[in-house]
Amino acid sequence: MKSKIKPIIIDGIDKKILRALTSDARTPILEIARNVGISGAAIHQRLRKLEKSKLISGSQFIINPKVLGYSTMAFVGIYLEKAVNNEDVIRALKKVPEVLECHYTTGNWNIFIKILAYNNNHLMQLLNNKIQSIVGVLRTESIISLDQQIDRQIRI
């Protein structure tokens, strides 16, 4: 079972730092320090505190999948034969690189995944040969995304 993360309280300075870095993670620390009105060392200390609290973790570059030829984004609801098969199915899904997210859910499906494919034919191949062939998967239901209209993090 996952451990619970204790909510933390952040002040106005922390919020300014987080807004600057979530807007552009490559913003120089000294530029943030000048805008916030504290030293670069103080920014580093606050960032360490925020990392230790698990509010933030790392930084990353975002890859544009369309540039790599991926044009189909789909969400797939997976029905399991038995809920106890969950761990085995997740282990198998982790081996499919096109699976970007996986959620254990309530509702109609046991598992809900976000998957990326080059096109609809590739999606069909992935579903038939890599997802539905996993031992423990009973069946799937797919929803193809026509356009992502919102993409954001939680607002600080």
Side-chain angles (χ1 to χ4, degrees), residues 35-128:
N35 293 336
V36 173
I38 62 175
S39 71
I43 299 281
H44 281 290
Q45 286 175 339
R46 285 175 174 266
L47 287 172
R48 276 195 299 278
K49 175 192 77 166
L50 294 172
E51 282 182 287
K52 189 175 179 188
S53 74
K54 298 192 185 324
L55 177 65
I56 60 172
S57 60
S59 61
Q60 62 187 32
F61 288 100
I62 308 299
I63 294 171
N64 181 346
K66 290 178 181 171
V67 174
L68 295 174
Y70 292 95
S71 63
T72 300
M73 173 73 67
F75 298 90
V76 180
I78 301 174
Y79 293 88
L80 299 179
E81 289 176 12
K82 297 177 185 168
V84 295
N85 294 344
N86 183 55
E87 287 184 26
D88 295 332
V89 172
I90 299 303
R91 211 173 355 268
L93 287 170
K94 285 180 178 179
K95 295 177 183 174
V96 181
E98 294 86 355
V99 174
L100 303 180
E101 294 181 20
C102 180
H103 302 267
Y104 190 56
T105 63
T106 62
N108 291 333
W109 310 289
N110 301 98
I111 297 172
F112 196 66
I113 64 172
K114 180 178 178 182
I115 191 167
L116 201 51
Y118 292 117
N119 51 44
N120 289 352
N121 188 53
H122 182 224
L123 175 62
M124 184 175 67
Q125 300 290 327
L126 289 168
L127 290 170
N128 291 340

Side-chain angles (χ1 to χ4, degrees), residues 2 8 15 21 62 69 76 93 102 107 112 114 120 138-139 141-142 148 151 153:
K2 291 184 180 179
I8 67 163
K15 288 178 182 180
L21 289 173
I62 308 299
V76 180
L93 287 170
C102 180
F112 196 66
K114 180 178 178 182
N120 289 352
L138 186 61
R139 66 187 177 96
E141 288 182 9
S142 302
Q148 182 175 352
D151 181 15
Q153 293 190 61

